[in-house]
Amino acid sequence: MQSLAIIGSQWGDEGKGKITDLLGAKCDVVVRYQGGNNAGHTIIVGDKKIVLHLIPSGVLHSHCVSVIGHGVVFDPEAFAKELKTVEGAGITLTRENLKISENCSIITFYNKLLDGQREAKGPVKIGTTGKGIGPCYEDKISRKGIKLKDIFDLENLKQKLAANLIEKEALFKNLYQCEYPSVDEEAARLFELGHAIKQFATDTFSFLDKSVSENKKVLYEGAQGVLLDIDYGTYPFVTSSSTSCGGVYTGAGVPGKTINEVLGITKAYTTRVGEGPFPTELFDSTGEFIQNKGHEFGATTGRKRRCGWLDLPLLKYTVKASNLTSIALTKLDILSGMDELKVCYAYEYNGEKIDCAYPGIDLSKVKPLYKDLTPFKDEFKTDSLSGELESYIKEIETFIGIPVGIIAYGPERSEIKFRKDYF
Ligand code: GDP
Ligand code: IMO
Ligand code: MG
């Protein structure tokens, strides 16, 4: 295999960082292609915990080139902070091992302000991360966006920011009545931040084109999850990018290139941060138990993650929506030893029983139907799994029609078992 896309198959935080780090060890290039620093990808190495928001999770391997493609929305301030974190972990980043597309869209202060104001005062609360992601993608699509290459030329930057601010100013002054920086202040801030970034800015399209032509092994690291996809997700409670496999082609900039396999990272239960429907959400002590044992707090915002049983109709949908070819089942250690084990295998909806959460279904109106499985009590000290856990895995594989290629049972690199070969 030469290329693999790693995609979150639920509402994010499935353990993509850990799996990308492990598979990145076998690759030449790891690429982030959408989203921004709304992502929080955790990697644990020994007693060190590194949370990456923008920099690809292959960065811990010195032979790996990390690429941030043009589909990413890029906050220069967040990047400067992350650069320090990574350098603090003993990794030196140079223009050889980190390449950022000069066509990334820049998240401006105005984008962050608008995100915050809308969440606080607007008619619909999405529960965003407040990082300015949606407003930045809006600027890009409406062709008013600031690109990374723009921040290296102060005069050009001032002109673009002035054009960008015209409409927003009306919102800041009249609707939200909030303070905002002048164009000169914002231009000076971004221009200053640009100094440290300039060395990494490049034409990543040509770099990836060459890498693929030279048969290099490329791993595409998705952020968020399919259910947060702007088109395939639970709209409007989604993020603003194409989080599913389709985003790789446009966001990394590899149109026409083959992606050999798509690995869906799947938590053995379900979590969600922010607002929106969640059919299997648990509001009782079981949900609280999973939340506590799984340390289910957002890696970016620290918010509590809502928890529930594994939702197979949703998973069946994401397999189709993102063309998944196998899944990695993570956090099995959290379910191990529980008194009960349930999976949702169908919904009752409008008097019918359905087993796939096709779009058009109002998820806030479905009744989840559960199957009780025999709980497993594995401690994962040997290579073999208990019959109960094998049955749980089989149940999932049979339902979704693709294999569980990886199981993970702890945050550390060693706490993983490959059931299938990747690279
Ligand atoms: P990502 O956004 O998909 O990369 O996931 P996050 O890093 O936001 O959240 C996943 C959390 O679960 C992190 O704290 C990981 O260290 C942790 N983790 C990953 N896999 C496992 C696992 O199999 N078991 C346990 N207990 N923790 C895991
Ligand atoms: P990783 O890559 C979980 C959620 C937010 C909110 C919605 C929109 O770590 O899995 P946004 O700030 O993107 O406009 O927020 O999307 N969200 C995530 N939830 N994991 C993430 O990333 C997320 N990134 C955004 O909580 O509900
Ligand atoms: Mg996360």
Side-chain angles (χ1 to χ4, degrees):
M1 184 196 305
Q2 292 305 116
S3 63
L4 173 77
I6 286 189
I7 306 283
S9 73
Q10 292 153 319
W11 279 291
D13 304 326
E14 302 91 347
K16 298 177 291 293
K18 168 178 166 146
I19 307 288
T20 306
D21 166 60
L22 280 163
L23 291 179
K26 299 181 175 180
C27 293
D28 304 297
V29 183
V30 178
V31 191
R32 272 286 306 270
Y33 55 90
Q34 48 69 230
N37 61 312
N38 48 349
H41 295 179
T42 314
I43 303 170
I44 309 277
V45 187
D47 57 0
K48 268 197 199 149
K49 170 172 160 174
I50 299 178
V51 182
L52 296 166
H53 302 283
L54 267 173
I55 298 176
S57 302
V59 76
L60 301 187
H61 307 294
S62 55
H63 68 276
C64 231
V65 179
S66 295
V67 173
I68 299 180
H70 60 222
V72 168
V73 285
F74 186 88
D75 180 343
E77 201 168 305
F79 174 74
K81 243 195 215 164
E82 195 160 319
L83 198 57
K84 282 203 184 117
T85 308
V86 169
E87 286 174 350
I91 296 145
T92 308
L93 291 173
T94 64
R95 58 181 299 117
E96 303 310 321
N97 63 4
L98 175 63
K99 298 183 186 291
I100 308 173
S101 167
E102 52 197 11
N103 285 324
C104 279
S105 297
I106 292 290
I107 301 180
T108 64
F109 188 86
Y110 306 131
N111 295 145
K112 289 188 262 193
L113 187 58
L114 199 52
D115 194 0
Q117 292 294 317
R118 277 182 184 154
E119 285 287 297
K121 303 172 187 168
V124 183
K125 185 173 156 60
I126 304 291
T128 72
T129 59
K131 306 292 182 191
I133 305 295
C136 182
Y137 275 117
E138 283 170 40
D139 278 358
K140 168 179 162 175
I141 299 299
S142 66
R143 294 158 293 180
K144 285 191 291 286
I146 310 294
K147 296 285 183 181
L148 178 56
K149 62 188 173 202
D150 295 327
I151 74 170
F152 307 133
D153 174 344
L154 187 58
E155 282 317 306
N156 172 44
L157 178 59
K158 277 186 194 168
Q159 274 180 23
K160 294 219 159 137
L161 279 172
N164 181 280
L165 185 60
I166 290 175
E167 285 173 353
K168 291 187 185 68
E169 207 158 24
L171 297 178
F172 293 149
K173 271 191 188 153
N174 305 322
L175 182 63
Y176 295 123
Q177 302 180 347
C178 59
E179 299 287 316
Y180 56 93
S182 69
V183 164
D184 281 354
E185 285 167 327
E186 179 59 354
R189 185 183 78 88
L190 290 174
F191 181 69
E192 182 60 33
L193 285 162
H195 295 314
I197 303 167
K198 201 167 182 180
Q199 62 160 319
F200 305 111
T202 188
D203 166 12
T204 53
F205 174 87
S206 299
F207 174 77
L208 286 175
D209 189 43
K210 186 163 177 283
S211 302
V212 174
S213 312
E214 288 172 355
N215 246 1
K216 294 273 194 308
K217 290 184 162 61
V218 183
L219 184 60
Y220 299 97
E221 178 185 11
Q224 290 82 52
V226 177
L227 300 175
L228 288 170
D229 186 284
I230 188 72
D231 291 300
Y232 292 107
T234 49
Y235 192 90
F237 302 102
V238 292
T239 190
S240 301
S241 66
S242 297
T243 60
S244 58
C245 162
V248 175
Y249 299 102
T250 51
V254 285
K257 299 285 189 294
T258 302
I259 297 167
N260 298 131
E261 291 196 23
V262 186
L263 172 61
I265 314 301
T266 307
K267 217 177 259 188
Y269 46 96
T270 311
T271 62
R272 172 163 211 177
V273 204
E275 308 297 317
F278 181 171
T280 61
E281 183 166 11
L282 289 162
F283 298 97
D284 57 7
S285 57
T286 307
E288 210 172 306
F289 176 85
I290 294 174
Q291 205 269 326
N292 285 325
K293 189 174 176 196
H295 302 291
E296 295 296 352
F297 293 93
T300 297
T301 57
R303 289 177 293 172
K304 254 190 189 181
R305 295 174 184 148
R306 300 153 65 191
C307 296
W309 295 115
L310 184 62
D311 186 328
L312 291 176
L314 272 178
L315 189 58
K316 187 175 259 189
Y317 167 64
T318 59
V319 169
K320 293 174 194 283
S322 204
N323 191 31
L324 304 183
T325 52
S326 64
I327 65 167
L329 199 58
T330 65
K331 301 199 100 163
L332 281 165
D333 53 312
I334 306 305
L335 295 188
S336 183
M338 285 184 73
D339 294 336
E340 56 173 351
L341 180 63
K342 290 181 192 287
V343 289
C344 166
Y345 69 96
Y347 300 147
E348 241 174 54
Y349 183 65
N350 283 346
E352 276 184 63
K353 200 164 143 186
I354 49 174
D355 71 351
C356 182
Y358 292 110
I361 291 165
D362 181 350
L363 285 182
S364 66
K365 296 211 169 76
V366 302
K367 180 181 171 209
L369 303 177
Y370 292 103
K371 192 171 191 176
D372 275 299
L373 303 177
T374 314
F376 55 87
K377 295 187 172 52
D378 294 57
E379 292 184 4
F380 305 100
K381 296 213 165 108
T382 63
D383 263 355
S384 65
L385 304 179
S386 66
E388 292 81 11
L389 179 49
E390 287 287 5
S391 301
Y392 183 62
I393 294 170
K394 193 81 209 143
E395 180 80 29
I396 297 169
E397 287 179 327
T398 307
F399 195 93
I400 60 177
I402 57 170
V404 173
I406 297 174
I407 60 165
Y409 43 82
E412 297 205 12
R413 278 175 168 168
S414 59
E415 291 169 311
I416 195 155
K417 189 170 149 65
F418 286 87
R419 294 160 69 88
K420 176 179 155 16
D421 258 353
Y422 296 90
F423 295 106

